[in-house]
Amino acid sequence: MLIGLIADTHGYLDPRVPPALKGVELILHAGDIGTEGVLIALASIAPVTAVAGNNDANLAPLCLPLRVDMELEGVKLHLVHRLIDAAPGSDTRIVVYGHGHKALVTEREGVLWVNPGAAGRVGFHHEVTLALLRVKDGLLEAELVSLGPRVAAARLSTALGHASRGSHL
């Protein structure tokens, strides 16, 4: 099973994201989604499970949970935005989280911890990243995917030919 991991889109789905997620069977969004439109666009690629981030108050009508526990091909996964809110069970084998805008894959005490980094255009990250998770026969493999430099919101408006005063993407 191939799963796309994404976080910290902050209301913008970079056009480099959909091709990078081609072929995934499921997308997990680790919060700070920003707009419902991001979830709708991701859902056109594959089914989406998402948690609320600390900047997702405007998505309250969607009733996104703070954390989600799921089982994928016999492997227990915990999805959360901020590590401070993580509450993985004793049998959890992977924790996917966001918030830090720093892509990371590490294993500690038999648990794989994955932060796909940030895929949006706002924040202190310099590159757009996501992750791919492969689950097969109880084995886990996570791969960070760099999509290139982050385009700041102001530069993006100019690059697309929009007037920087009052243009909204």
Side-chain angles (χ1 to χ4, degrees), residues 14 22 67 70 95 101 120-121 124 127 132-133 162:
D14 190 294
K22 185 176 181 181
R67 60 183 78 86
M70 58 185 4
V95 176
H101 290 230
R121 64 181 179 193
F124 53 87
E127 67 179 312
L132 296 174
L133 173 66
H162 299 286

Side-chain angles (χ1 to χ4, degrees), residues 13-65:
L13 190 64
D14 190 294
R16 297 171 288 185
V17 167
L21 293 175
K22 185 176 181 181
V24 301
E25 298 172 55
L26 175 67
I27 298 170
L28 303 180
H29 197 305
D32 277 1
I33 300 154
T35 63
E36 187 175 1
V38 167
L39 294 177
I40 291 168
L42 289 172
S44 72
I45 300 166
V48 177
T49 298
V51 293
N54 59 300
N55 289 304
D56 286 330
N58 61 320
L59 297 178
L62 297 180
C63 298
L64 295 171

Side-chain angles (χ1 to χ4, degrees), residues 84-155:
I84 194 169
D85 297 319
S90 61
D91 56 350
T92 297
R93 298 237 348 258
I94 182 167
V95 176
V96 177
Y97 65 99
H99 188 62
H101 290 230
K102 287 186 175 185
L104 175 73
V105 174
T106 190
E107 187 171 336
R108 291 191 305 254
E109 298 178 15
V111 177
L112 187 62
W113 297 79
V114 181
N115 185 328
R121 64 181 179 193
V122 296
F124 53 87
H125 60 287
H126 297 288
E127 67 179 312
V128 173
T129 60
L130 54 83
L132 296 174
L133 173 66
R134 288 174 185 80
V135 181
K136 185 174 181 180
D137 300 326
L139 299 175
L140 302 170
E141 179 186 341
E143 168 191 0
L144 296 174
V145 179
S146 174
L147 301 179
R150 173 179 68 99
V151 178
R155 282 183 45 210

